[in-house]
Amino acid sequence: MQYRNDKYGTPLSMLGYGCMRFTKKGNAIDIDKAEKEIMAAYNAGVNYYDTAYIYAGSEAAIGEIFERNHIREKIKIATKLPQYLIGNGAGLDRYFNEELSRLRTDYIDYYLMHHLTDVAMWEKLKNVGILDWIRQKKAEGTIRNIGFSYHGNTDNFLKILNDYDWDFCQIQYNYLDEVTQAGVDGLKAAAAKGIPVIIMEPLRGGKLVNMLPDGARAAMRDSGHAWSPAEWAFRWLYNQPEVTVVLSGMNSVEMVEENVRIASETEAGSLTDSDFAVYDKVISAIKATEKVGCTGCRYCMPCPKGVDIPGIFRAYNTMFSESKSAGRFQFAQAVGLTKEPSFATQCIGCGKCEQHCPQEIPIREKLKEADKALRPLPYKVGINVVRKFMFREGKKSS
Ligand code: SF4
Ligand code: SF4
């Protein structure tokens, strides 16, 4: 494993463990399987583990695994304040103490304000006393490093970055997001301040692996490298010295081993001009097929009217990246034939979802467009007939 330093010179493994995608057993995390995966990573030198208050069961699961294996002192835990749930200053301690208890620890190595998208959110936190609270937690040693995870545009990122003496930050970054979100400008600005940058969504919610169009796969295949799509994505990140840790939500030991290998052998500045030409072809092929730049992050959910926003966009994109029938089939399975109808036509245009979308997608407009493509009249009638038969209702769907 290779390491890059944090603000105070502590080495962090270039591969970090994203703890939001463990395999489930029934409704709970399969803890024995997660333990094997985490320990495979730990034994290979991964020392950074990222979770959050809202990742269901994750904090408790990793807390148990670290305790069982007596490795708490040897690894770094990053977790996050659910700032969107904070009404007043009292909430700060309540959530933080609950997180300590779930994680079976009395300190957090890297603590983030979760999912800031603009300055207003940071200002709101300041108004409930976050600055004094951070000062107190750092003084008593229960928070070692303070940072924020970010999903808005570059301008707001720079404003938040420059408003406080942060120890680190976390951004969505990958070869499709070079100039969106915090972007390369945000990455470089943070690095220039000596702040380590943790990368999330390196595969853009799996899109850079599972949803690559044929043209993108062909460009990779013809490159002369035997790299998998995931390896292309990780190498692009590690090539940049400003990137400190890349998080990956690994849910198999094989995936851990593969990602460890890539993080162990990729050096900054190792990509060549011909490699970058491959990335250009891959990006062009993806952009040519993409109708909606939805990553499936679900920050827009739940919709008060029950619209399955990411499910609809995923199926809509599949119509163009695979085929119309594949997209409509996916739509029928994920959206059209679920018990509670979740069609785009249920949208009342309240706009709540758009306030939370890190990709700044005009969701209301795109939902209309997607619905038109996914449910032409014969298909709409067909789905309603099947729904009537399956659920004996049919009136709720539209
Ligand atoms: S605008 Fe439509 S899809 Fe978005 S939250 Fe409101 S009702 Fe739901
Ligand atoms: S529409 Fe936006 S917020 Fe919703 S899942 Fe897609 S990217 Fe995430």
Side-chain angles (χ1 to χ4, degrees), residues 74-107:
K74 296 174 183 145
I75 50 92
K76 307 295 178 197
I77 295 176
T79 193
K80 311 183 185 86
L81 177 77
Q83 52 85 15
Y84 29 77
L85 301 177
I86 301 288
N88 55 45
L92 299 171
D93 267 338
R94 200 192 112 212
Y95 288 112
F96 183 69
N97 290 336
E98 193 179 342
E99 291 186 289
L100 289 178
S101 154
R102 287 173 174 181
L103 285 158
R104 306 187 189 195
T105 186
D106 51 15
Y107 67 95

Side-chain angles (χ1 to χ4, degrees), residues 151 154 171-185 200-205 208 236 283 287 290 293 295 358-359:
H151 276 291
T154 310
I171 62 172
Q172 170 176 326
Y173 192 55
N174 53 66
Y175 63 74
L176 266 193
D177 283 317
E178 186 171 8
V179 293
T180 55
Q181 300 264 324
V184 65
D185 289 348
M200 58 184 154
E201 300 282 10
L203 306 178
R204 223 183 198 231
L208 303 184
W236 184 86
I283 292 166
K287 296 243 184 256
E290 195 172 73
T295 62
Q359 311 303 330

Side-chain angles (χ1 to χ4, degrees), residues 119-166:
V119 179
M121 288 178 165
W122 173 232
E123 291 298 333
K124 190 192 96 182
L125 282 169
K126 288 204 282 187
N127 289 339
V128 298
I130 194 80
L131 296 180
D132 283 343
W133 186 81
I134 292 172
R135 213 171 289 124
Q136 182 206 338
K137 296 293 168 203
K138 287 189 86 170
E140 68 191 28
T142 48
I143 291 177
R144 304 274 166 94
N145 293 273
I146 194 80
F148 65 102
S149 70
Y150 185 75
H151 276 291
N153 61 30
T154 310
D155 284 353
N156 273 301
F157 175 80
L158 295 174
K159 283 180 190 152
I160 297 171
L161 180 74
N162 292 323
D163 191 68
Y164 184 72
D165 186 18
W166 299 102

Side-chain angles (χ1 to χ4, degrees), residues 323-343:
S323 66
K324 280 187 183 173
S325 58
R328 287 185 182 139
F329 179 68
Q330 194 180 88
F331 176 81
Q333 281 187 319
V335 181
L337 298 177
T338 53
K339 187 154 193 332
E340 287 304 316
S342 48
F343 297 116

Side-chain angles (χ1 to χ4, degrees), residues 293-301 309-310 313 353 356-361 363:
C294 173
T295 62
C297 67
R298 302 186 70 82
Y299 285 125
C300 55
M301 298 293 280
I309 303 166
F313 288 157
C353 51
H356 298 285
C357 178
Q359 311 303 330
E360 298 179 35
I361 294 168
I363 294 176

Side-chain angles (χ1 to χ4, degrees), residues 183-201:
V184 65
D185 289 348
L187 171 76
K188 290 196 183 232
K193 282 174 157 281
I195 294 176
V197 183
I198 314 298
I199 304 298
M200 58 184 154
E201 300 282 10

